């Protein structure tokens, strides 16, 4: 592995892209309509190119990554605020790497799908789109990408916290200024919730620093030394809660979820993909990385409660999803249900559960991403997100309907598609330790079939409604945006091993650290020898 | 005969060891690759493939059939104990002890299904060229059919339960797509969704069974599970058996998950023949028989299987008696016939091979019946009401004769198929002994009589009597592309049962996988004469009601049993009142609660934390921006201060 700072460079490229976009002349009185459109297009093109460069760099990392190698690779550590022991420390393990690659894959997809979103054409019919700066929207997205890579790549708890909070700002504006409907209400709600959690985490982060200082040794925020800290069980419980509540709000775990449906409905589809597909994963990633490894005793103590909340969330959110009338809201609730499964897998503390949960984070990003984007294509055509306003779309736009169905089937975890692998791993990993939780969680697969197929039935089948009769099928740009996601959903369903191989060692290390061994019996190869006397 | 006694009488199935695949068996992946290629080309290729899409679809099905025949011939060349061969393809999901691979198990049981699926499947592909010739979406139809063949072959060929589950849900998807093929019809779209959801209920059982296997045995492969099952407690094997049964009831339309199959007739008739009669719906029987080593150790679970089968065989037969829609009458019959197979499988080692024999024979005659019904429908402007048929024997001679062969096969007239495969099941049920044996046997015997009644009713209403056609209908014999598959299936209806059962051919062939049952007493037993007598009574009754008398064009009111049977014995009414309506209320209530309860609580909390509720009201009445900005500024200042305080 070369010493080239791949991770830092990958994270910095989008920020450079954002600066480059900022140099494009903005709105001015002199420019006519056509000139303005050309400038906007240039901004979009710059964003796309930089996001593709980022993607290429992250793929190089994925290839260079040694699954059996050191825990954190592409690592760099520099002192940042020496008085506080704050470092610029980055590095990725298998879990962080796959999440970064997921982010960099989603970014160009989202940019392409959001090409015309900033112009505000997706609002309800009759509402005049507000005039907004197109280039600012794309700058926000590029800045967000840097922060998302940073939050997964940080190996200093304080640095992680900074990215964790800073991510809120671009997303706040993307929802509040560029969203639809009750966008400002939703944006504030999103911000309030997140800040509340963030503040609790900040307290815990500082406490961690205080505890890490002992005798004449100064305190530190570096992750690896902190994992070796000998904290009393009581302290672990409190600090665990400080981190966990922040992550539970972010993920979100039932009953901390009510901000998400509002935010995802108010956001443009592309922003919703980043919100649900990436930002929320920081919550589940944080549980796996920080809650478990920093506070193993705290994690074990709270596991029963968390499992109950996770299972309740899986079923509750799925039932609420069935009753939704708005497409984006429905998809948001399905995500709450899926986050319940991810959290279940994390806290089952088995190899299958945690590998499944990590894989689920990736697969959910692609599957729900595709679902949100295609719903967005529908919404911009019909200028409504109400399910009841559609009907018979399959007849007029078969490609759109077909891809909508595939992403929907990924939502209900059909075998052959990527989500099945992760969902089944979570369920089976949970079953080996917590049978009852797994049995209840498995009931969710019935509810998933109902909410997906009922939505498909109401929007795509039946007689063609007059309002959708003239609806065009997918355009080339739209196809280029969701096509790669659909391909990934299928490829990772049939052949998930390359990703699993990257995740496996990282999960193994986590489990060793929390002192958890899989409760499965010895492999039957040995049992066969003893027990096969006819 | 109790379970343990049966086990001592029967050579255990695990005498068979699985060897690695050799030679030409390495090409077995082509079984999956051919139809998968067809599906991919036809579904991705879009309109460009319209001109030749159906030909590619047929070619891929035939290609798989050829590979299947070659694998079968090669298998016959090995001694019986060496016929189980495993072809490992690649590692699919490797996580710690959970090692799932995609691998194919070629053994006598799976090869039977391969030949059925690809053989009958190819015939139905060919038939569909004619049947779907007027449909602008014929190419998409063949894409889905190829997809179905791929998934079904994966189901029966996989060497582990997770791969089986993938095929299991894959055929569910194909079934969903094909029932809803004419999805602009709301009834078709609803039926498709219903089928998928009912199957998902069963899938919960199957997936939990797999989880329990992994948790207990540390493996999900057939060899791993069956090798370790001897050490499991009675409770565990019973639980796994019952969970597998739940899965089987969904896929095979057995009680209590039966109601989707009648609605599934919304699909094009070739689909009804292939998926909802000959192959997919029998997957539940495959699952039980494949899991024989588990069921051998779980007599209670086996009894549950047999009871489900016996109840469903009567349930389906009664529904079949009352339906005027020819496809729905046949669908009731399918439920009933699969009930026979489940009953046989539930009898354990004496019944596994009988279940498979009846399954294979049924594949021929039921596909033949559906293709016959399809050709009538095709030539009569999509008419399916038998009260609008009548006198078709003279205008559709080939259809009449082939349908007649299948009719004789299903009611069990010697030497047609059903006689050889159904009567041994009745016999085996009685030989179970005790009260349960007597009840199960009598149910099966009674079912034979009812089958004769409803099948004779279908024959008479369709082919004899006065012509009751609509004026626009001009029934005529269909073209050779449709009649030739019907003729081949008719030959199968005549010969398959005898071929499989005489001199225990199939029983011996399957013995390495499912064990050897005690030798049967031959075919012409007192019981078989009793069964034949009941068939004659059933047929005569039908003749008295529908042959001698004229069939009214509008259905008479009928007695309470008829009314109930027309409504599928209230299966839907039950689902609607017990599951659907409460479910809808629950969903509505949860939405309300989520909007008012949880969210309201949170908003109140936020307002309280914010100091005054007035501030929260501000948020909601338009001063959002200033409020948000102040929050944001606060947060940024906080972070900034922390960063800068020591710089």
């Amino acid at each position: 592995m070369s010493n080239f700072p791949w991770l830092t460079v990958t994270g910095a490229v989008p920020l450079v892209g954002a600066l480059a976009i900022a140099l494009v002349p903005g709105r001015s009185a002199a420019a006519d309509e056509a000139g303005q459109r050309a400038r906007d297009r240039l901004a979009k093109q710059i964003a796309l190119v930089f996001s593709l460069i980022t993607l290429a760099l992250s793929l190089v990392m994925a290839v260079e990554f040694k699954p059996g190698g050191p825990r954190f690779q592409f690592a760099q550590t520099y002192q940042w605020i020496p008085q506080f022991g704050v470092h610029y420390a980055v590095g990725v393990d298998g879990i962080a790497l796959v999440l970064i690659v997921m982010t960099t894959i989603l970014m160009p997809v989202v940019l392409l799908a959001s090409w015309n979103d900033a112009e505000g054409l997706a609002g309800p019919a009759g509402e005049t789109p507000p005039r907004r700066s197109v280039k600012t929207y794309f700058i926000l997205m590029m800045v967000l990408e840097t922060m998302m890579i940073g939050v997964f790549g940080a190996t200093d708890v304080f640095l992680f916290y900074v990215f964790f909070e800073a991510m809120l700002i671009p997303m706040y504006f993307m929802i509040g200024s560029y969203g639809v409907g009750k966008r400002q209400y939703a944006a504030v709600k999103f911000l309030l919730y997140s800040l509340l959690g963030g503040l609790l985490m900040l307290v815990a982060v500082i406490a961690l620093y205080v505890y890490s200082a002992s005798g004449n040794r100064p305190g530190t925020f570096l992750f690896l030394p902190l994992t070796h800290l000998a904290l009393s069980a009581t302290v672990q419980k409190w600090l665990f809660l400080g981190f966990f509540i922040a992550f539970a709000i972010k993920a979100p775990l039932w009953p901390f979820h009510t901000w998400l449906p509002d935010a995802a409905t108010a956001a443009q589809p592309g922003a919703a993909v980043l919100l649900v597909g990436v930002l929320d994963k920081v919550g589940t990633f944080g549980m796996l990385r920080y809650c478990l490894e920093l506070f193993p005793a705290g994690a074990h103590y709270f596991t029963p409660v968390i499992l109950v909340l996770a299972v309740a969330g899986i079923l509750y959110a799925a039932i609420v999803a069935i009753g939704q009338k708005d497409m984006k809201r429905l998809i948001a609730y399905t995500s709450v249900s899926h986050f319940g499964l991810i959290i279940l897998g994390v806290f089952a503390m088995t190899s299958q559960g945690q590998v499944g949960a990590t894989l689920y984070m990736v697969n959910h990003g692609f599957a729900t991403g595709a679902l949100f984007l295609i719903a967005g294509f529908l919404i911009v055509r019909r200028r409504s997100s109400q399910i009841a306003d559609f009907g018979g779309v399959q007849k007029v736009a078969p490609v759109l309907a077909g891809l909508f169905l595939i992403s929907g089937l990924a939502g209900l975890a059909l075998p052959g598609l990527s989500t099945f692998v992760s969902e089944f791993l979570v369920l089976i990993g949970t079953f080996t330790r917590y049978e009852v939780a797994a049995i209840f969680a498995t009931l969710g697969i019935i509810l998933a079939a109902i909410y997906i197929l009922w939505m498909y039935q109401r929007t795509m089948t039946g007689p063609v409604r007059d309002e959708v009769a003239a609806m065009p099928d997918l355009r080339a740009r739209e196809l280029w945006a969701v096509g790669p996601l659909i391909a990934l959903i299928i490829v990772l369903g049939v052949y998930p091993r390359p990703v699993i191989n990257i995740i496996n060692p990282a999960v193994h290390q986590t489990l060793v650290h929390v002192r958890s061994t899989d409760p499965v019996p010895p492999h039957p190869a040995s049992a066969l020898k003893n027990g096969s006397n006819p | 005969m109790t379970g343990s006694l049966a086990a001592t009488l029967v050579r255990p199935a695990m005498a068979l060891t699985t060897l690695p695949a050799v030679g030409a068996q390495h090409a077995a992946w082509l079984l999956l690759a051919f139809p998968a290629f067809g599906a991919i080309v036809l579904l991705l290729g879009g309109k460009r493939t319209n001109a030749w899409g159906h030909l590619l679809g047929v070619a891929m099905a035939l290609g798989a059939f050829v590979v299947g025949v070659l694998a079968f011939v090669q298998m016959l060349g090995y001694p019986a104990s060496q016929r189980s061969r495993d072809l490992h393809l690649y590692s699919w999901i490797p996580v710690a002890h959970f090692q799932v691979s995609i691998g194919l198990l070629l053994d006598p049981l799976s090869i039977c299904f391969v030949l059925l699926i690809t053989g009958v499947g190819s015939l139905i592909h060919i038939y569909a060229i004619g049947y779907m010739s007027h449909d602008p979406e014929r190419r998409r139809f063949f894409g889905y059919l190829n997809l179905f063949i791929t998934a079904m072959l994966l189901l029966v060929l996989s060497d582990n339960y997770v791969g089986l589950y993938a095929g299991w849900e894959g055929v569910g998807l194909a079934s969903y797509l094909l029932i809803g093929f004419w999805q602009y019809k709301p009834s078709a779209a609803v039926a498709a969704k219903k089928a998928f959801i009912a199957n998902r209920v069963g899938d919960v059982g199957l997936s939990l069974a797999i989880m329990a296997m992994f948790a207990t045995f540390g493996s999900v492969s057939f060899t791993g599970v069956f090798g370790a099952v001897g050490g499991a407690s009675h409770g565990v094997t019973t639980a796994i058996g019952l969970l597998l049964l739940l899965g089987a009831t969904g896929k095979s339309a057995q009680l209590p998950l039966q109601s989707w199959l009648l609605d599934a007739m919304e699909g094009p008739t070739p689909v009804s023949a292939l998926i909802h009669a000959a192959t997919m719906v029998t997957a539940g029987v495959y699952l039980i028989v494949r899991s024989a080593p588990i069921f051998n150790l779980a007599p209670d679970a086996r009894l549950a299987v047999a009871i489900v089968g016996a109840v469903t065989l009567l349930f389906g037969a009664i529904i079949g008696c009352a339906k005027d829609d020819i496809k729905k009458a046949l669908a009731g019959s399918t439920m009933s016939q699969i009930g026979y197979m489940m009953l046989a499988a539930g009898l354990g080692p004496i019944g596994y091979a009988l279940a498979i024999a009846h399954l294979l024979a049924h594949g021929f005659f039921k596909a033949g019946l559906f293709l016959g019904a399809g050709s009538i429908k095709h030539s009569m402007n999509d008419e399916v009401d038998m009260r609008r048929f009548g006198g078709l024997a003279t205008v559709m001679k080939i259809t009449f004769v082939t349908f007649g062969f299948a009719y004789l096969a299903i009611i069990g007239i010697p030497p047609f198929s059903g006689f050889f495969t159904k009567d041994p099941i009745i016999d085996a049920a009685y030989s179970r002994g005790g009260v349960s044996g007597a009840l199960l046997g009598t149910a099966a015997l009674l079912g034979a009589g009812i089958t004769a009644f409803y099948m004779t009713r279908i024959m008479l209403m369709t082919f004899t009597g006065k012509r009751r056609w609509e004026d626009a209908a001009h029934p005529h014999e269909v073209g050779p592309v449709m009649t030739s598959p019907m003729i081949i299936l008719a030959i199968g209806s005549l010969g398959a049962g005898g071929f499989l059962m005489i001199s225990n051919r199939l029983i011996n062939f399957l013995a390495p996988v499912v064990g050897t049952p005690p030798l049967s007493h031959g075919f012409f037993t007192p019981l078989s004469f009793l069964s034949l007598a009941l068939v004659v009574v059933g047929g005569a009754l039908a003749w008295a009601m529908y042959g001698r008398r004229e069939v009214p064009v509008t259905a008479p009111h009928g007695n309470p049993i008829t009314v109930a049977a027309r409504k599928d014995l209230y299966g839907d009414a039950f689902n609607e009142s017990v599951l659907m309506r409460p479910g809808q209320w629950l969903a509505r209530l949860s939405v309300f609660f989520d909007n008012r309860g949880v969210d309201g609580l949170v908003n109140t909390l936020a307002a309280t934390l914010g100091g005054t509720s007035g501030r929260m009201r501000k948020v909601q009445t338009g001063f959002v921006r200033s409020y948000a900005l102040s929050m944001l500024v606060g947060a940024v200042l906080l972070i900034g201060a922390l960063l800068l305080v020591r710089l």
Side-chain angles (χ1 to χ4, degrees):
Chain A
M1 191 168 59
S2 68
N3 289 324
F4 187 78
W6 288 108
L7 181 55
T8 301
V9 171
T10 307
V13 167
L15 199 59
V16 176
L19 291 174
I21 299 169
L23 295 177
V24 175
R27 184 161 296 163
S28 64
D32 57 355
E33 191 66 23
Q36 184 58 43
R37 237 179 286 139
R39 286 172 182 181
D40 287 346
R41 193 162 57 239
L42 181 63
K44 296 169 186 179
Q45 283 162 348
I46 295 173
L48 186 61
V49 167
F50 274 88
S51 73
L52 287 172
I53 296 172
T54 317
L55 170 61
L57 288 167
S58 69
L59 290 178
V60 171
M61 280 209 299
V63 173
E64 288 277 308
F65 186 81
K66 307 269 181 297
R71 168 84 197 254
F72 289 114
Q73 303 183 22
F74 315 105
Q76 283 183 294
T77 307
Y78 299 107
Q79 288 206 337
W80 180 17
I81 312 171
Q83 296 86 340
F84 259 156
V86 176
H87 290 81
Y88 171 83
V90 293
V92 289
D93 61 0
I95 298 169
L97 177 68
V98 294
L99 290 171
I100 287 177
V101 174
M102 175 195 77
T103 308
T104 57
I105 290 175
L106 278 178
M107 205 63 208
V109 165
V110 165
L111 287 172
L112 211 51
S114 313
W115 210 247
N116 301 322
D117 280 359
E119 281 88 341
L121 296 175
E127 191 182 276
T128 39
R131 281 197 71 80
R132 293 174 298 208
S133 163
V134 171
K135 80 172 197 182
T136 309
Y137 191 61
F138 284 79
I139 290 174
L140 287 171
M141 287 211 264
M142 297 311 281
V143 171
L144 186 60
E145 183 173 19
T146 289
M147 289 167 175
M148 293 188 299
I149 294 172
V151 82
F152 292 126
T155 52
D156 179 284
V157 180
F158 195 85
L159 185 66
F160 170 79
Y161 174 76
V162 170
F163 280 125
F164 184 81
E165 290 289 48
M167 277 189 327
L168 299 177
I169 298 163
M171 187 47 78
Y172 168 76
F173 286 110
M174 284 168 73
I175 298 172
S177 304
Y178 293 87
V180 293
K182 292 199 295 179
R183 59 178 191 267
Q184 288 165 350
Y185 168 75
V188 172
K189 197 166 170 184
F190 160 72
L191 197 68
L192 283 177
Y193 261 94
S194 303
L195 284 180
L196 175 70
L199 288 177
L200 290 175
M201 188 165 101
L202 180 61
V203 175
V205 166
I206 293 170
L208 202 56
Y209 172 79
V210 173
Y211 281 109
S212 70
S214 64
N216 50 6
R217 199 183 63 197
T220 181
F221 286 109
L222 282 175
F223 175 73
L224 278 180
L226 286 177
T227 59
H228 299 299
L229 218 54
L231 296 172
S232 77
T234 317
V235 171
Q236 284 202 29
K237 284 178 202 165
W238 283 108
L239 296 188
F240 175 90
L241 274 187
F243 276 80
F244 184 80
I245 291 174
F247 295 144
I249 289 173
K250 181 121 291 193
L253 173 65
W254 184 85
F256 304 104
H257 66 280
T258 57
W259 65 270
L260 180 69
D262 284 338
T265 310
Q268 296 282 0
V273 172
L274 295 180
L275 176 67
V276 178
V278 186
L279 260 62
D280 289 353
K281 302 295 163 43
V282 179
T284 46
F285 166 79
M287 291 177 195
L288 189 52
R289 163 78 68 82
Y290 295 97
C291 286
L292 257 52
E293 293 206 51
L294 292 177
F295 321 110
H300 283 297
Y301 179 80
F302 285 108
T303 291
V305 181
I306 295 167
L307 292 178
V308 169
L309 294 181
V311 172
I314 293 167
L315 299 177
Y316 174 87
I319 291 171
V320 176
I322 293 170
Q324 292 305 315
K325 298 187 171 76
D326 180 292
M327 249 187 275
K328 284 203 277 184
R329 234 181 139 73
L330 190 154
I331 301 170
Y333 274 106
T334 71
S335 289
V336 176
S337 181
H338 292 157
F339 282 118
L341 277 160
I342 297 174
I343 295 168
L344 186 67
V346 169
F347 283 91
M349 309 240 191
T350 56
S351 308
Q352 294 82 30
Q354 293 192 346
V355 172
T358 310
L359 201 57
Y360 212 135
M361 294 184 218
V362 176
N363 293 337
H364 175 268
F366 298 145
T368 304
L371 205 52
F372 257 126
L373 293 182
I374 298 171
F377 300 153
L378 277 169
I379 292 164
V380 79
R381 281 165 169 70
R382 177 74 177 80
R383 308 208 69 179
S384 164
S385 57
Q386 294 295 307
I387 293 171
D389 285 342
F390 294 85
V393 175
Q394 197 277 339
K395 199 82 180 162
V396 290
V399 177
L400 191 156
L403 297 186
F404 192 63
L405 182 62
I406 295 177
S407 16
L409 293 172
L412 59 79
L414 189 85
L417 305 179
S418 59
T419 42
F420 167 74
V421 178
S422 38
E423 186 164 307
F424 201 74
L425 278 172
V426 164
L427 291 173
I428 208 162
T430 307
F431 190 94
T432 55
R433 184 164 277 137
Y434 305 103
E435 285 174 23
V436 177
I439 291 169
F440 277 103
T442 306
L443 294 177
I445 72 171
I446 304 172
L447 302 173
I450 296 175
Y451 59 62
I452 291 292
L453 296 183
W454 197 29
M455 172 165 72
Y456 183 84
Q457 181 199 324
R458 286 179 289 171
T459 53
M460 298 296 172
T461 71
V464 181
R465 285 176 61 122
D466 293 343
E467 298 91 337
V468 305
M471 194 178 267
D473 210 335
L474 284 189
R475 296 170 221 285
R477 170 181 62 82
E478 295 166 330
L479 204 55
W480 275 105
V482 294
L485 294 186
I486 300 290
L488 278 168
I489 287 170
I490 294 171
V491 168
L492 293 181
V494 176
Y495 194 64
R497 198 162 56 145
V499 186
I500 290 179
N501 282 346
I502 292 177
I503 299 170
N504 262 334
V507 163
H508 180 71
Q509 272 171 322
T510 309
L511 286 173
V512 168
H513 197 83
V514 297
R515 295 207 178 82
S516 189
T517 48
D518 290 352
V520 283
H523 203 266
S526 54
L528 196 62
K529 288 195 185 83
N530 308 327
S532 65
N533 298 333
Chain B
M1 191 187 301
T2 65
S4 57
L5 188 58
T8 54
L9 282 175
V10 175
R11 196 151 53 86
M14 282 313 295
L16 182 79
T17 46
T18 301
L19 307 170
V22 288
Q25 284 172 331
H26 285 290
W29 60 274
L30 285 171
L31 279 168
L32 298 179
F34 275 134
F37 176 77
I40 291 167
V41 169
L42 295 182
L43 295 178
L44 284 185
K47 293 193 175 66
R48 273 156 293 186
T49 60
N50 271 359
W52 42 268
H54 53 287
L55 298 178
L56 179 75
V58 171
M60 292 299 108
L62 281 171
F65 178 61
V66 170
V67 178
V69 168
L70 291 176
F72 176 60
V73 170
Q74 191 188 3
M75 181 181 291
L76 289 179
Y78 297 118
S81 64
Q82 293 174 21
R83 283 181 180 166
S84 179
R85 304 276 175 159
D86 189 85
L87 176 64
H88 174 83
L89 293 178
Y90 66 91
S91 166
W92 184 25
I93 313 177
V95 178
H97 291 301
F98 187 66
Q99 295 288 332
V100 181
S101 56
I102 295 293
L104 307 182
L105 174 64
L106 291 162
D107 75 352
L109 179 59
S110 66
I111 205 77
C112 286
F113 278 87
V114 167
L115 293 175
L116 175 73
I117 295 158
T118 57
V120 175
S122 295
L123 291 176
I124 293 173
H125 272 73
I126 293 167
Y127 176 91
I129 294 177
Y131 190 84
M132 300 298 285
S133 58
H134 305 303
D135 197 300
E137 299 265 25
R138 178 168 70 170
R139 180 251 334 151
R140 188 160 59 90
F141 181 79
F142 276 87
Y144 291 162
L145 275 191
N146 271 198
L147 176 69
F148 168 75
I149 298 279
T150 314
M152 188 73 203
L153 287 174
L154 177 64
L155 195 169
V156 298
L157 280 169
S158 172
D159 64 359
N160 65 75
Y161 277 101
V162 181
L164 181 153
Y165 184 65
W168 186 269
E169 288 238 316
V171 293
L173 170 67
S175 163
Y176 168 79
L177 294 169
L178 285 163
I179 295 171
F181 185 73
W182 292 312
Q183 51 178 275
Y184 49 85
K185 282 163 60 186
S187 56
V190 171
K193 183 191 63 181
K194 180 177 176 182
F196 196 97
I197 291 169
N199 269 289
R200 269 265 154 149
V201 177
D203 294 352
V204 168
L206 179 53
S207 48
L208 285 175
I210 299 172
M211 292 176 212
M213 287 175 199
F214 176 64
T216 318
F217 311 123
S219 174
V220 290
S221 72
F222 293 151
T223 46
V225 171
F226 300 157
V229 73
S233 72
H234 178 72
V236 168
T237 51
T238 304
I240 293 177
L242 290 175
L243 288 168
L244 290 173
L245 172 61
L246 177 60
T249 55
K251 195 61 78 195
S252 292
Q254 302 290 292
L255 283 162
L257 297 176
Q258 82 294 346
S259 70
W260 64 271
L261 184 63
L262 292 154
D263 295 1
M265 296 300 120
E266 286 287 342
T269 310
V271 172
S272 312
L274 177 61
I275 301 186
H276 303 118
T279 57
M280 183 191 82
V281 285
T282 62
V285 180
Y286 170 78
L287 181 68
I288 306 280
V289 174
R290 173 57 79 194
S291 308
I294 298 172
F295 281 97
N296 285 344
L297 297 172
D300 295 338
R302 253 183 10 237
L303 181 61
V305 173
I307 291 172
V308 164
V311 174
T312 310
L313 82 84
L314 291 174
F315 193 93
I318 291 170
I319 290 176
C321 294
K323 291 287 178 185
D324 291 332
D325 176 331
I326 187 168
K327 286 182 72 181
K328 295 210 169 182
L330 290 176
S333 161
T334 303
M335 261 160 70
S336 171
Q337 295 298 309
I338 297 171
Y340 274 101
M341 300 169 208
M342 292 293 267
L343 168 61
L347 295 173
I350 53 169
Y352 294 135
L354 301 179
I356 301 301
H358 194 55
L359 190 157
L360 296 173
H362 176 257
F364 284 98
F365 61 68
K366 187 52 67 63
L369 290 171
F370 267 111
L371 294 193
S375 87
I376 296 166
K377 188 181 172 192
H378 189 70
S379 71
M380 290 187 75
N381 288 339
D382 287 343
E383 183 62 77
V384 287
D385 185 354
M386 292 189 288
R387 295 185 183 278
R388 286 288 174 189
F389 293 170
L392 289 173
T394 46
V395 281
M396 302 180 71
K397 292 203 178 68
I398 301 177
T399 303
F400 171 61
V401 173
T402 57
F403 199 93
F405 270 45
Y407 159 73
L408 294 172
I410 190 174
I411 64 173
I413 301 292
F416 288 86
S417 268
F419 172 75
F420 291 99
T421 57
K422 192 199 291 175
D423 284 1
I425 294 177
I426 302 172
D427 187 33
Y430 275 117
S431 77
R432 183 189 157 86
V435 179
S436 64
L439 286 174
L440 294 171
T442 308
L445 195 60
L446 215 56
I450 304 175
T451 306
F453 174 81
Y454 71 71
M455 283 310 304
T456 309
R457 174 177 177 267
I458 293 174
M459 278 304 278
L460 294 172
M461 286 178 84
T462 305
F463 291 104
T464 67
K466 228 179 83 183
R467 299 177 174 187
R468 302 180 298 275
W469 313 335
E470 298 268 5
D471 294 337
H474 301 289
H476 53 274
E477 190 53 273
V478 290
V481 74
M482 289 168 71
T483 49
S484 28
M486 289 155 60
I487 292 167
I488 297 174
L489 289 172
I491 296 169
S493 307
L494 171 62
F499 174 80
L500 295 171
M501 295 303 290
I502 291 172
S503 72
N504 287 330
R505 203 175 265 126
L506 182 75
I507 290 175
N508 292 335
F509 181 62
L510 288 176
V513 186
V514 299
T516 316
L519 289 178
S520 64
H521 329 290
F523 295 104
F524 294 93
T525 59
L527 193 63
S528 73
F529 285 111
L530 182 58
S531 158
L532 272 177
L534 274 171
V535 166
V536 171
V537 171
L541 201 60
W543 184 78
M545 290 172 70
Y546 300 95
R548 222 173 40 166
R549 279 188 252 157
E550 200 160 296
V551 179
V553 172
T554 46
H557 186 267
N559 59 37
I561 299 174
T562 315
V563 172
R566 277 189 197 134
K567 291 182 176 165
D568 307 348
L569 296 178
Y570 301 113
D572 280 329
F574 176 85
N575 288 346
E576 203 163 294
S577 54
V578 177
L579 299 172
M580 226 173 85
R581 287 192 196 289
Q584 281 172 343
W585 276 108
L586 182 64
R588 267 181 228 151
L589 202 68
S590 308
V591 172
F592 180 81
F593 172 73
D594 203 63
N595 291 342
R596 302 290 148 76
V598 179
D599 210 24
L601 192 72
V602 170
N603 279 347
T604 316
L605 197 70
T608 319
L609 286 176
T612 63
S613 57
R615 202 180 283 179
M616 197 61 203
R617 228 172 287 134
K618 258 204 218 165
V619 168
Q620 285 162 330
T621 50
F623 292 96
V624 186
R625 277 208 158 157
S626 62
Y627 185 71
L629 206 62
S630 60
M631 281 301 293
L632 189 68
V633 169
V636 171
L637 281 181
L638 187 68
I639 299 169
L642 282 161
L643 292 178
L644 295 173
V645 71
R646 289 288 197 93
L647 282 177

